[in-house]
Amino acid sequence: MSSSLVISCKAAVAWKAGDALVIEEVQVSPPQPLEIRLKVVCTALCRSDFSAWESQAIFPRIFGHEASGIVESVGEGVTEFKEGDHVLTVFIGECMTCRHCKSGKSNVCQVLGLERRGVMHSDQQTRFSIKGKPVYHYCAVSSFSEYTVVHSGCAVKVSPIAPLEKICLLSCGVAGGLGAAWNVADISEGSTVVIFGLGTVGLAVAHGAKLRGASRIIGVDTNPEKCEKAKAFGVTEVVNSNDCNEPIQQVIKRMTDGGADYSFECIGDTEMITTALQSCCDGWGVTVTLGVPKVKPEIATHFALFLSGRTLKGSMLGGLKPKSDLPSLVNMYINKEIMIDEFISHNLRFEEINKAFDLMREGKCLRCVIHMPK
């Protein structure tokens, strides 16, 4: 069903970097051609939402991108979705027709790639407003709102029997970690893995590594609580780098007889990328970086690390193509082949959304799932 009506609803609006979000009444425009309007059911706070809220300059803004919802209406030309469909939102789309989408080698869509300017891909405008003034999007999703509009290429239809309050985590963090382990690194059975950062993404990497049959999965973090919880996700050994008397890469090399087969940087610290590279072995060591740095985006490392055979790879959503790959992850969850519930540390009401930010700042959560009003 198409709709020409503007919807008024509640949204958590960020007015200034680092300030508490404010629940405001916003107007949500109808979907334009090839767009859909969703009723958001559940959304989770991802570290990238938190980092952008702390530092970015585009305001007022509605953050949130890791979400599940139900299609409320569709715009002109949309044939894939209909009213009532259950969907996941995604921060990178899949147009199915560009060079990258057709290549089989990349998930970085040239048409619906990562949107950084706070507007929609199609017309560079916003679909949110307050009293006639624009409110900007985040990653072309903006799920911290009861209703949102996304491009139909940035949504994935999923099985209606999958619980939306769980599978929302597959729209970013958990899927990104699993994909990094399976697609980007392609972890082999019996291998040794080291993971820097034991948040949701790092633990999803550990889960993926365990399912691939890695023999040792070493987790590195400075938060004792995270170190303790990590073993439930497959981590076999934990190292608190604050407790080490020498550089952590030396500790890892000694533990692994010269370096791990695979290392993962899941923090968002470019200096840690160098550490991860130094922690994997000569010859075939692979380092994958998944974190998004807040400061100092440039990487500095010695060329000899590459000359000796190491490989450094980047990872966007774990190399997963949203429409092609995410439905199968949802089915794996339904069939109890992958974990999701264990990543959810808190369930919060929409009015408690600022508590999720507080918990993340204090390092006291994995994923906070925010339940929108029924």
Side-chain angles (χ1 to χ4, degrees), residues 46 65-66 91 107 168-187 193-212 217 233 262-267 288-291 314-320 326 329 332 338-340 343 367:
C46 176
H65 65 280
E66 190 174 282
F91 65 92
N107 68 343
C168 58
L169 271 62
L170 288 176
S171 76
C172 182
V174 172
L178 291 172
W182 296 342
N183 295 342
V184 182
D186 193 15
I187 290 173
V193 175
V194 59
I195 301 164
F196 294 89
L198 298 176
T200 297
V201 174
L203 293 177
V205 171
H207 183 34
K210 180 182 179 181
L211 293 174
R212 274 292 179 94
I217 304 170
F233 296 88
Y262 306 95
S263 63
F264 294 83
E265 185 280 319
C266 305
I267 299 170
V288 179
T289 177
L290 295 86
S315 179
M316 181 87 77
L317 195 61
L320 297 168
L326 290 186
L329 285 185
M332 288 180 76
I338 59 172
M339 298 161 52
I340 295 180
F343 291 92
R367 274 298 192 263

Short mmCIF file of all heavy atoms in Angstrom, two decimals, residues 46 65-66 91 107 168-187 193-212 217 233 262-267 288-291 314-320 326 329 332 338-340 343 367:
data_model
loop_
_atom_site.label_atom_id
_atom_site.label_comp_id
_atom_site.label_asym_id
_atom_site.label_seq_id
_atom_site.Cartn_x
_atom_site.Cartn_y
_atom_site.Cartn_z
N CYS A 46 24.26 0.64 18.77
CA CYS A 46 25.54 0.16 18.26
C CYS A 46 26.63 1.17 18.63
O CYS A 46 26.36 2.37 18.78
CB CYS A 46 25.44 -0.02 16.75
SG CYS A 46 26.97 -0.52 15.94
N HIS A 65 20.51 2.48 13.69
CA HIS A 65 20.54 1.81 12.38
C HIS A 65 20.38 0.29 12.50
O HIS A 65 20.15 -0.37 11.50
CB HIS A 65 21.85 2.13 11.64
CG HIS A 65 23.08 1.60 12.33
ND1 HIS A 65 23.65 2.24 13.40
CD2 HIS A 65 23.82 0.49 12.12
CE1 HIS A 65 24.70 1.55 13.81
NE2 HIS A 65 24.82 0.47 13.05
N GLU A 66 20.51 -0.25 13.71
CA GLU A 66 20.42 -1.70 13.91
C GLU A 66 19.00 -1.99 14.38
O GLU A 66 18.69 -1.86 15.56
CB GLU A 66 21.46 -2.11 14.96
CG GLU A 66 21.65 -3.60 15.09
CD GLU A 66 22.80 -3.95 16.03
OE1 GLU A 66 23.96 -3.84 15.60
OE2 GLU A 66 22.55 -4.28 17.20
N PHE A 91 22.59 -0.60 7.02
CA PHE A 91 23.24 0.69 6.79
C PHE A 91 23.97 0.74 5.45
O PHE A 91 24.40 1.81 5.02
CB PHE A 91 24.21 1.00 7.93
CG PHE A 91 25.37 0.06 8.03
CD1 PHE A 91 26.57 0.34 7.39
CD2 PHE A 91 25.28 -1.10 8.78
CE1 PHE A 91 27.64 -0.53 7.49
CE2 PHE A 91 26.35 -1.97 8.89
CZ PHE A 91 27.54 -1.68 8.24
N ASN A 107 30.45 -6.27 -1.13
CA ASN A 107 29.12 -5.87 -0.67
C ASN A 107 29.01 -4.36 -0.56
O ASN A 107 28.07 -3.85 0.05
CB ASN A 107 28.79 -6.53 0.68
CG ASN A 107 29.66 -6.01 1.81
OD1 ASN A 107 30.71 -5.40 1.59
ND2 ASN A 107 29.25 -6.25 3.05
N CYS A 168 16.97 -8.14 15.40
CA CYS A 168 17.45 -6.80 15.07
C CYS A 168 18.98 -6.74 15.14
O CYS A 168 19.62 -5.97 14.41
CB CYS A 168 16.81 -5.74 15.95
SG CYS A 168 17.06 -5.94 17.72
N LEU A 169 19.61 -7.57 15.97
CA LEU A 169 21.07 -7.57 16.10
C LEU A 169 21.76 -8.05 14.83
O LEU A 169 22.95 -7.80 14.64
CB LEU A 169 21.51 -8.43 17.28
CG LEU A 169 21.60 -7.72 18.64
CD1 LEU A 169 20.25 -7.18 19.09
CD2 LEU A 169 22.19 -8.64 19.69
N LEU A 170 21.01 -8.73 13.96
CA LEU A 170 21.61 -9.21 12.72
C LEU A 170 21.67 -8.12 11.64
O LEU A 170 22.21 -8.37 10.57
CB LEU A 170 20.83 -10.41 12.18
CG LEU A 170 20.98 -11.71 12.97
CD1 LEU A 170 20.07 -12.79 12.39
CD2 LEU A 170 22.44 -12.18 12.97
N SER A 171 21.15 -6.95 11.93
CA SER A 171 21.23 -5.89 10.92
C SER A 171 22.55 -5.14 10.98
O SER A 171 22.82 -4.30 10.14
CB SER A 171 20.05 -4.93 11.05
OG SER A 171 20.20 -4.06 12.14
N CYS A 172 23.39 -5.46 11.98
CA CYS A 172 24.72 -4.84 12.03
C CYS A 172 25.69 -5.71 12.82
O CYS A 172 26.39 -6.55 12.26
CB CYS A 172 24.65 -3.42 12.60
SG CYS A 172 26.26 -2.57 12.64
N GLY A 173 25.74 -5.54 14.14
CA GLY A 173 26.85 -6.04 14.95
C GLY A 173 27.13 -7.52 14.89
O GLY A 173 28.25 -7.95 14.59
N VAL A 174 26.13 -8.36 15.19
CA VAL A 174 26.36 -9.80 15.22
C VAL A 174 26.66 -10.32 13.82
O VAL A 174 27.58 -11.12 13.62
CB VAL A 174 25.15 -10.53 15.85
CG1 VAL A 174 25.32 -12.04 15.71
CG2 VAL A 174 25.02 -10.15 17.32
N ALA A 175 25.90 -9.86 12.83
CA ALA A 175 26.16 -10.28 11.45
C ALA A 175 27.55 -9.85 11.00
O ALA A 175 28.26 -10.61 10.33
CB ALA A 175 25.09 -9.70 10.52
N GLY A 176 27.95 -8.63 11.37
CA GLY A 176 29.26 -8.13 10.97
C GLY A 176 30.39 -8.97 11.53
O GLY A 176 31.40 -9.23 10.85
N GLY A 177 30.25 -9.42 12.79
CA GLY A 177 31.28 -10.26 13.39
C GLY A 177 31.33 -11.64 12.79
O GLY A 177 32.41 -12.18 12.48
N LEU A 178 30.17 -12.25 12.59
CA LEU A 178 30.12 -13.58 11.98
C LEU A 178 30.69 -13.54 10.56
O LEU A 178 31.48 -14.40 10.16
CB LEU A 178 28.68 -14.10 11.95
CG LEU A 178 28.05 -14.46 13.30
CD1 LEU A 178 26.56 -14.77 13.11
CD2 LEU A 178 28.76 -15.64 13.95
N GLY A 179 30.28 -12.53 9.81
CA GLY A 179 30.76 -12.42 8.43
C GLY A 179 32.26 -12.20 8.35
O GLY A 179 32.93 -12.72 7.45
N ALA A 180 32.80 -11.42 9.28
CA ALA A 180 34.25 -11.19 9.28
C ALA A 180 35.01 -12.49 9.49
O ALA A 180 36.06 -12.73 8.88
CB ALA A 180 34.61 -10.18 10.37
N ALA A 181 34.48 -13.35 10.37
CA ALA A 181 35.12 -14.64 10.64
C ALA A 181 34.98 -15.59 9.46
O ALA A 181 35.94 -16.28 9.09
CB ALA A 181 34.52 -15.27 11.89
N TRP A 182 33.79 -15.62 8.86
CA TRP A 182 33.51 -16.61 7.82
C TRP A 182 33.90 -16.14 6.42
O TRP A 182 34.45 -16.92 5.64
CB TRP A 182 32.02 -16.94 7.82
CG TRP A 182 31.54 -17.61 9.08
CD1 TRP A 182 32.30 -18.22 10.03
CD2 TRP A 182 30.18 -17.71 9.52
NE1 TRP A 182 31.50 -18.70 11.05
CE2 TRP A 182 30.20 -18.41 10.77
CE3 TRP A 182 28.96 -17.29 9.01
CZ2 TRP A 182 29.04 -18.68 11.48
CZ3 TRP A 182 27.80 -17.57 9.71
CH2 TRP A 182 27.84 -18.27 10.93
N ASN A 183 33.58 -14.89 6.08
CA ASN A 183 33.79 -14.42 4.71
C ASN A 183 35.13 -13.71 4.53
O ASN A 183 35.86 -14.01 3.59
CB ASN A 183 32.68 -13.43 4.30
CG ASN A 183 31.32 -14.06 4.23
OD1 ASN A 183 31.21 -15.27 4.15
ND2 ASN A 183 30.29 -13.24 4.25
N VAL A 184 35.41 -12.76 5.40
CA VAL A 184 36.58 -11.91 5.20
C VAL A 184 37.86 -12.66 5.54
O VAL A 184 38.80 -12.73 4.75
CB VAL A 184 36.46 -10.60 6.02
CG1 VAL A 184 37.67 -9.70 5.75
CG2 VAL A 184 35.17 -9.87 5.67
N ALA A 185 37.91 -13.25 6.74
CA ALA A 185 39.10 -14.01 7.13
C ALA A 185 39.04 -15.44 6.61
O ALA A 185 40.07 -16.03 6.29
CB ALA A 185 39.22 -14.03 8.66
N ASP A 186 37.84 -16.01 6.52
CA ASP A 186 37.66 -17.40 6.12
C ASP A 186 38.46 -18.33 7.03
O ASP A 186 39.33 -19.08 6.59
CB ASP A 186 38.06 -17.59 4.66
CG ASP A 186 37.60 -18.93 4.08
OD1 ASP A 186 36.75 -19.58 4.73
OD2 ASP A 186 38.12 -19.33 3.02
N ILE A 187 38.15 -18.26 8.32
CA ILE A 187 38.89 -19.00 9.35
C ILE A 187 38.85 -20.50 9.06
O ILE A 187 37.79 -21.05 8.73
CB ILE A 187 38.30 -18.70 10.75
CG1 ILE A 187 38.63 -17.26 11.15
CG2 ILE A 187 38.81 -19.68 11.79
CD1 ILE A 187 37.95 -16.81 12.42
N VAL A 193 43.24 -17.90 16.76
CA VAL A 193 42.61 -16.60 16.51
C VAL A 193 42.84 -15.71 17.73
O VAL A 193 42.73 -16.17 18.87
CB VAL A 193 41.09 -16.77 16.27
CG1 VAL A 193 40.40 -15.43 16.13
CG2 VAL A 193 40.84 -17.65 15.05
N VAL A 194 43.14 -14.42 17.49
CA VAL A 194 43.19 -13.45 18.58
C VAL A 194 42.25 -12.30 18.23
O VAL A 194 42.20 -11.85 17.08
CB VAL A 194 44.62 -12.95 18.87
CG1 VAL A 194 45.24 -12.27 17.64
CG2 VAL A 194 44.64 -11.99 20.05
N ILE A 195 41.47 -11.87 19.21
CA ILE A 195 40.46 -10.83 19.00
C ILE A 195 40.72 -9.70 19.98
O ILE A 195 40.72 -9.90 21.20
CB ILE A 195 39.04 -11.39 19.22
CG1 ILE A 195 38.78 -12.56 18.26
CG2 ILE A 195 37.99 -10.30 19.05
CD1 ILE A 195 37.57 -13.41 18.66
N PHE A 196 40.93 -8.50 19.45
CA PHE A 196 41.14 -7.31 20.28
C PHE A 196 39.81 -6.56 20.39
O PHE A 196 39.29 -6.05 19.41
CB PHE A 196 42.20 -6.40 19.65
CG PHE A 196 43.57 -7.02 19.63
CD1 PHE A 196 43.99 -7.80 18.57
CD2 PHE A 196 44.44 -6.83 20.70
CE1 PHE A 196 45.24 -8.38 18.55
CE2 PHE A 196 45.70 -7.41 20.70
CZ PHE A 196 46.10 -8.19 19.62
N GLY A 197 39.24 -6.55 21.60
CA GLY A 197 37.96 -5.91 21.85
C GLY A 197 36.86 -6.94 21.95
O GLY A 197 36.52 -7.61 20.96
N LEU A 198 36.30 -7.10 23.15
CA LEU A 198 35.31 -8.14 23.40
C LEU A 198 33.92 -7.55 23.63
O LEU A 198 33.19 -7.95 24.52
CB LEU A 198 35.74 -9.00 24.60
CG LEU A 198 37.07 -9.75 24.40
CD1 LEU A 198 37.48 -10.50 25.66
CD2 LEU A 198 37.00 -10.69 23.20
N GLY A 199 33.58 -6.59 22.78
CA GLY A 199 32.19 -6.13 22.72
C GLY A 199 31.38 -7.06 21.84
O GLY A 199 31.80 -8.19 21.53
N THR A 200 30.23 -6.60 21.40
CA THR A 200 29.34 -7.45 20.60
C THR A 200 30.02 -7.96 19.34
O THR A 200 29.94 -9.15 19.01
CB THR A 200 28.07 -6.67 20.22
OG1 THR A 200 27.37 -6.33 21.42
CG2 THR A 200 27.15 -7.50 19.33
N VAL A 201 30.71 -7.08 18.62
CA VAL A 201 31.33 -7.48 17.36
C VAL A 201 32.45 -8.49 17.61
O VAL A 201 32.53 -9.53 16.94
CB VAL A 201 31.85 -6.26 16.59
CG1 VAL A 201 32.63 -6.68 15.35
CG2 VAL A 201 30.71 -5.34 16.19
N GLY A 202 33.31 -8.21 18.60
CA GLY A 202 34.39 -9.13 18.90
C GLY A 202 33.89 -10.50 19.34
O GLY A 202 34.44 -11.54 18.95
N LEU A 203 32.84 -10.52 20.13
CA LEU A 203 32.29 -11.79 20.59
C LEU A 203 31.58 -12.54 19.45
O LEU A 203 31.57 -13.77 19.43
CB LEU A 203 31.33 -11.57 21.76
CG LEU A 203 32.00 -11.07 23.04
CD1 LEU A 203 30.95 -10.80 24.12
CD2 LEU A 203 33.04 -12.04 23.55
N ALA A 204 31.02 -11.78 18.51
CA ALA A 204 30.43 -12.43 17.34
C ALA A 204 31.53 -13.06 16.48
O ALA A 204 31.33 -14.14 15.90
CB ALA A 204 29.62 -11.43 16.52
N VAL A 205 32.68 -12.40 16.38
CA VAL A 205 33.83 -13.01 15.70
C VAL A 205 34.21 -14.31 16.40
O VAL A 205 34.45 -15.35 15.75
CB VAL A 205 35.03 -12.04 15.66
CG1 VAL A 205 36.28 -12.76 15.15
CG2 VAL A 205 34.74 -10.83 14.77
N ALA A 206 34.27 -14.27 17.74
CA ALA A 206 34.62 -15.47 18.51
C ALA A 206 33.61 -16.60 18.24
O ALA A 206 33.99 -17.76 18.05
CB ALA A 206 34.67 -15.13 19.99
N HIS A 207 32.35 -16.25 18.23
CA HIS A 207 31.29 -17.24 17.97
C HIS A 207 31.48 -17.86 16.58
O HIS A 207 31.41 -19.08 16.41
CB HIS A 207 29.94 -16.55 18.08
CG HIS A 207 28.75 -17.43 17.92
ND1 HIS A 207 28.71 -18.75 18.35
CD2 HIS A 207 27.53 -17.20 17.35
CE1 HIS A 207 27.53 -19.27 18.08
NE2 HIS A 207 26.81 -18.36 17.46
N GLY A 208 31.77 -16.99 15.59
CA GLY A 208 32.00 -17.48 14.24
C GLY A 208 33.24 -18.36 14.15
O GLY A 208 33.25 -19.37 13.45
N ALA A 209 34.30 -17.97 14.88
CA ALA A 209 35.54 -18.75 14.89
C ALA A 209 35.31 -20.12 15.51
O ALA A 209 35.81 -21.15 15.01
CB ALA A 209 36.63 -17.99 15.64
N LYS A 210 34.54 -20.16 16.58
CA LYS A 210 34.24 -21.44 17.23
C LYS A 210 33.47 -22.36 16.29
O LYS A 210 33.78 -23.56 16.18
CB LYS A 210 33.43 -21.19 18.51
CG LYS A 210 33.07 -22.48 19.25
CD LYS A 210 32.21 -22.21 20.48
CE LYS A 210 31.84 -23.51 21.19
NZ LYS A 210 30.98 -23.26 22.37
N LEU A 211 32.48 -21.79 15.59
CA LEU A 211 31.70 -22.60 14.66
C LEU A 211 32.54 -23.11 13.48
O LEU A 211 32.22 -24.13 12.88
CB LEU A 211 30.50 -21.80 14.15
CG LEU A 211 29.43 -21.48 15.20
CD1 LEU A 211 28.37 -20.56 14.62
CD2 LEU A 211 28.79 -22.75 15.73
N ARG A 212 33.61 -22.38 13.16
CA ARG A 212 34.53 -22.82 12.10
C ARG A 212 35.56 -23.83 12.61
O ARG A 212 36.36 -24.34 11.83
CB ARG A 212 35.24 -21.60 11.51
CG ARG A 212 34.47 -20.92 10.38
CD ARG A 212 34.41 -21.82 9.15
NE ARG A 212 33.68 -21.22 8.07
CZ ARG A 212 34.22 -20.51 7.08
NH1 ARG A 212 35.52 -20.25 7.09
NH2 ARG A 212 33.48 -20.04 6.12
N ILE A 217 41.03 -19.51 20.67
CA ILE A 217 40.45 -18.18 20.44
C ILE A 217 40.81 -17.32 21.64
O ILE A 217 40.28 -17.51 22.73
CB ILE A 217 38.92 -18.26 20.26
CG1 ILE A 217 38.56 -19.24 19.13
CG2 ILE A 217 38.34 -16.87 19.98
CD1 ILE A 217 37.08 -19.57 19.04
N PHE A 233 31.04 -17.36 24.55
CA PHE A 233 30.94 -17.17 23.11
C PHE A 233 32.02 -17.93 22.34
O PHE A 233 32.13 -17.78 21.12
CB PHE A 233 31.00 -15.68 22.78
CG PHE A 233 29.85 -14.90 23.34
CD1 PHE A 233 29.91 -14.36 24.63
CD2 PHE A 233 28.68 -14.72 22.62
CE1 PHE A 233 28.84 -13.66 25.17
CE2 PHE A 233 27.61 -14.02 23.15
CZ PHE A 233 27.69 -13.49 24.43
N TYR A 262 45.05 -15.73 12.65
CA TYR A 262 44.12 -14.65 12.34
C TYR A 262 44.03 -13.70 13.54
O TYR A 262 43.96 -14.15 14.69
CB TYR A 262 42.71 -15.18 12.06
CG TYR A 262 42.64 -16.24 10.99
CD1 TYR A 262 42.67 -17.59 11.33
CD2 TYR A 262 42.54 -15.90 9.65
CE1 TYR A 262 42.60 -18.58 10.36
CE2 TYR A 262 42.47 -16.88 8.66
CZ TYR A 262 42.52 -18.21 9.03
OH TYR A 262 42.46 -19.18 8.06
N SER A 263 44.02 -12.41 13.26
CA SER A 263 43.78 -11.44 14.33
C SER A 263 42.70 -10.47 13.87
O SER A 263 42.59 -10.15 12.68
CB SER A 263 45.06 -10.69 14.71
OG SER A 263 45.55 -9.92 13.63
N PHE A 264 41.90 -10.02 14.83
CA PHE A 264 40.77 -9.13 14.54
C PHE A 264 40.83 -7.92 15.44
O PHE A 264 40.94 -8.05 16.66
CB PHE A 264 39.44 -9.87 14.77
CG PHE A 264 39.20 -11.00 13.83
CD1 PHE A 264 39.76 -12.26 14.08
CD2 PHE A 264 38.43 -10.83 12.69
CE1 PHE A 264 39.55 -13.32 13.22
CE2 PHE A 264 38.21 -11.90 11.82
CZ PHE A 264 38.78 -13.14 12.08
N GLU A 265 40.75 -6.73 14.84
CA GLU A 265 40.70 -5.49 15.59
C GLU A 265 39.25 -5.04 15.62
O GLU A 265 38.68 -4.67 14.60
CB GLU A 265 41.59 -4.42 14.93
CG GLU A 265 41.69 -3.12 15.70
CD GLU A 265 40.49 -2.20 15.49
OE1 GLU A 265 40.01 -2.09 14.36
OE2 GLU A 265 40.04 -1.60 16.48
N CYS A 266 38.62 -5.08 16.80
CA CYS A 266 37.19 -4.79 16.95
C CYS A 266 36.96 -3.63 17.91
O CYS A 266 35.94 -3.58 18.60
CB CYS A 266 36.46 -6.03 17.45
SG CYS A 266 36.70 -7.50 16.44
N ILE A 267 37.90 -2.70 17.97
CA ILE A 267 37.83 -1.60 18.93
C ILE A 267 37.51 -0.27 18.25
O ILE A 267 36.72 0.53 18.75
CB ILE A 267 39.16 -1.48 19.71
CG1 ILE A 267 39.42 -2.77 20.50
CG2 ILE A 267 39.16 -0.27 20.64
CD1 ILE A 267 40.80 -2.86 21.11
N VAL A 288 42.12 -8.63 10.32
CA VAL A 288 40.88 -8.01 9.83
C VAL A 288 40.53 -6.88 10.78
O VAL A 288 40.50 -7.07 12.00
CB VAL A 288 39.73 -9.03 9.77
CG1 VAL A 288 38.45 -8.34 9.29
CG2 VAL A 288 40.09 -10.19 8.86
N THR A 289 40.26 -5.71 10.23
CA THR A 289 39.84 -4.58 11.07
C THR A 289 38.36 -4.31 10.86
O THR A 289 37.89 -4.18 9.72
CB THR A 289 40.69 -3.32 10.78
OG1 THR A 289 40.20 -2.23 11.58
CG2 THR A 289 40.68 -2.93 9.31
N LEU A 290 37.62 -4.27 11.97
CA LEU A 290 36.18 -4.05 11.93
C LEU A 290 35.76 -2.76 12.63
O LEU A 290 34.65 -2.27 12.41
CB LEU A 290 35.44 -5.21 12.62
CG LEU A 290 35.52 -6.58 12.00
CD1 LEU A 290 36.73 -7.34 12.47
CD2 LEU A 290 34.27 -7.38 12.35
N GLY A 291 36.60 -2.24 13.51
CA GLY A 291 36.22 -1.06 14.29
C GLY A 291 36.22 0.20 13.46
O GLY A 291 36.91 0.30 12.45
N GLY A 314 40.03 -4.97 5.41
CA GLY A 314 38.92 -4.24 6.03
C GLY A 314 37.64 -5.05 5.91
O GLY A 314 37.54 -5.97 5.09
N SER A 315 36.67 -4.71 6.75
CA SER A 315 35.42 -5.47 6.76
C SER A 315 34.24 -4.54 6.97
O SER A 315 34.17 -3.83 7.96
CB SER A 315 35.46 -6.52 7.87
OG SER A 315 34.26 -7.25 7.93
N MET A 316 33.31 -4.54 6.03
CA MET A 316 32.06 -3.80 6.14
C MET A 316 30.92 -4.81 6.19
O MET A 316 30.70 -5.57 5.24
CB MET A 316 31.88 -2.88 4.93
CG MET A 316 30.62 -2.05 4.95
SD MET A 316 30.81 -0.49 5.81
CE MET A 316 31.70 0.45 4.59
N LEU A 317 30.24 -4.86 7.33
CA LEU A 317 29.17 -5.84 7.56
C LEU A 317 29.67 -7.26 7.26
O LEU A 317 28.95 -8.11 6.75
CB LEU A 317 27.92 -5.53 6.73
CG LEU A 317 26.62 -6.26 7.13
CD1 LEU A 317 26.20 -5.92 8.54
CD2 LEU A 317 25.50 -5.96 6.15
N GLY A 318 30.95 -7.50 7.58
CA GLY A 318 31.50 -8.83 7.42
C GLY A 318 31.48 -9.36 6.00
O GLY A 318 31.48 -10.57 5.78
N GLY A 319 31.46 -8.44 5.02
CA GLY A 319 31.41 -8.87 3.63
C GLY A 319 30.08 -9.45 3.21
O GLY A 319 29.94 -9.97 2.09
N LEU A 320 29.08 -9.37 4.08
CA LEU A 320 27.77 -9.95 3.76
C LEU A 320 26.99 -9.02 2.83
O LEU A 320 26.95 -7.80 3.03
CB LEU A 320 26.96 -10.15 5.04
CG LEU A 320 27.52 -11.14 6.06
CD1 LEU A 320 26.77 -11.03 7.38
CD2 LEU A 320 27.45 -12.57 5.53
N LEU A 326 21.60 -12.01 4.64
CA LEU A 326 21.01 -11.89 5.97
C LEU A 326 19.82 -12.83 6.20
O LEU A 326 19.67 -13.36 7.31
CB LEU A 326 20.61 -10.44 6.25
CG LEU A 326 21.77 -9.45 6.43
CD1 LEU A 326 21.25 -8.08 6.86
CD2 LEU A 326 22.79 -9.96 7.45
N LEU A 329 21.05 -16.00 7.67
CA LEU A 329 21.45 -15.89 9.08
C LEU A 329 20.23 -15.94 9.99
O LEU A 329 20.27 -16.55 11.06
CB LEU A 329 22.23 -14.60 9.32
CG LEU A 329 23.68 -14.53 8.84
CD1 LEU A 329 24.32 -13.22 9.28
CD2 LEU A 329 24.50 -15.70 9.34
N MET A 332 19.30 -19.46 10.26
CA MET A 332 20.24 -20.17 11.13
C MET A 332 19.87 -19.94 12.60
O MET A 332 19.96 -20.86 13.43
CB MET A 332 21.68 -19.72 10.87
CG MET A 332 22.25 -20.20 9.55
SD MET A 332 23.95 -19.62 9.29
CE MET A 332 24.83 -20.72 10.41
N ILE A 338 23.03 -20.50 15.36
CA ILE A 338 23.85 -19.38 15.83
C ILE A 338 23.17 -18.75 17.04
O ILE A 338 21.95 -18.86 17.22
CB ILE A 338 24.07 -18.29 14.74
CG1 ILE A 338 22.74 -17.72 14.24
CG2 ILE A 338 24.90 -18.84 13.58
CD1 ILE A 338 22.90 -16.51 13.33
N MET A 339 23.97 -18.07 17.86
CA MET A 339 23.48 -17.40 19.06
C MET A 339 23.13 -15.95 18.74
O MET A 339 23.84 -15.29 17.99
CB MET A 339 24.57 -17.40 20.14
CG MET A 339 24.99 -18.77 20.61
SD MET A 339 26.62 -18.78 21.46
CE MET A 339 26.42 -17.49 22.69
N ILE A 340 22.04 -15.47 19.33
CA ILE A 340 21.75 -14.04 19.32
C ILE A 340 21.34 -13.59 20.73
O ILE A 340 21.84 -12.57 21.23
CB ILE A 340 20.63 -13.67 18.33
CG1 ILE A 340 21.06 -13.93 16.89
CG2 ILE A 340 20.24 -12.19 18.48
CD1 ILE A 340 20.01 -13.58 15.85
N PHE A 343 23.77 -12.15 23.28
CA PHE A 343 24.39 -10.85 23.07
C PHE A 343 23.57 -9.71 23.69
O PHE A 343 24.05 -8.59 23.82
CB PHE A 343 24.56 -10.56 21.57
CG PHE A 343 25.59 -11.41 20.89
CD1 PHE A 343 25.24 -12.61 20.28
CD2 PHE A 343 26.92 -11.02 20.86
CE1 PHE A 343 26.19 -13.39 19.64
CE2 PHE A 343 27.88 -11.80 20.22
CZ PHE A 343 27.51 -12.99 19.61
N ARG A 367 24.67 -5.59 24.04
CA ARG A 367 23.67 -4.88 23.26
C ARG A 367 22.46 -4.55 24.13
O ARG A 367 21.92 -5.42 24.81
CB ARG A 367 23.21 -5.71 22.07
CG ARG A 367 24.08 -5.57 20.82
CD ARG A 367 24.09 -4.13 20.30
NE ARG A 367 24.68 -4.03 18.97
CZ ARG A 367 25.94 -3.69 18.75
NH1 ARG A 367 26.74 -3.41 19.76
NH2 ARG A 367 26.39 -3.58 17.51
#
